[in-house]
Amino acid sequence: MPESPSPDRKATFVGVGSGVIGAALLVKPDALGPLLGLARRRDAQLVGVVDLALAPGIVIGRPRWPWMAARAAANVGIAALCVARDREQLGRRGHHAAAALLAVTLADLKVAGDLRAGR
């Protein structure tokens, strides 16, 4: 069975992914925001800025665990925004995005804990 990637490698993957997602949401907010239930351009751009702001710390920050914990906290806020916007638009995409974000949050917290413990 293959060995699981190290927490550092997982954090790098998360940080790069956050940067890509953040940039995409800033460049194409009208196309990508609705996938998260965020029809408002500014909402999608806000999420993009948050992802871009956290990405460098997750990738090269030392220690890295606080950046991963901050990403987990941001995910909870983003999930709440997605659900709130769904209520305004009577859609379900935001609820689905929120569920996915909360699952990712658990994984982010695990990586943060492993990084803090020095595993």
Side-chain angles (χ1 to χ4, degrees):
M1 181 153 42
E3 189 174 316
S4 179
S6 72
D8 277 325
R9 189 163 175 87
K10 289 177 186 177
T12 298
F13 178 78
V14 169
V16 170
S18 289
V20 169
I21 291 167
L25 284 168
L26 285 177
V27 171
K28 295 281 191 182
D30 297 323
L32 300 175
L35 298 174
L36 300 173
L38 302 175
R40 294 181 186 178
R41 180 181 185 89
R42 290 282 186 211
D43 291 341
Q45 290 172 326
L46 173 64
V47 173
V49 167
V50 169
D51 275 345
L52 277 177
L54 292 170
I58 295 169
V59 173
I60 61 173
R62 297 295 180 258
R64 294 169 103 175
W65 72 264
W67 293 98
M68 285 297 301
R71 179 175 160 34
N75 284 345
V76 173
I78 293 167
L81 177 63
C82 292
V83 168
R85 294 301 187 236
D86 252 7
R87 289 192 179 145
E88 293 175 9
Q89 300 163 21
L90 302 175
R92 299 303 296 169
R93 286 185 182 161
H95 283 77
H96 297 189
L101 281 165
L102 294 176
V104 168
T105 298
L106 295 175
D108 288 349
L109 288 171
K110 170 77 167 107
V111 172
D114 289 347
L115 288 168
R116 185 168 186 216
R119 294 185 192 128

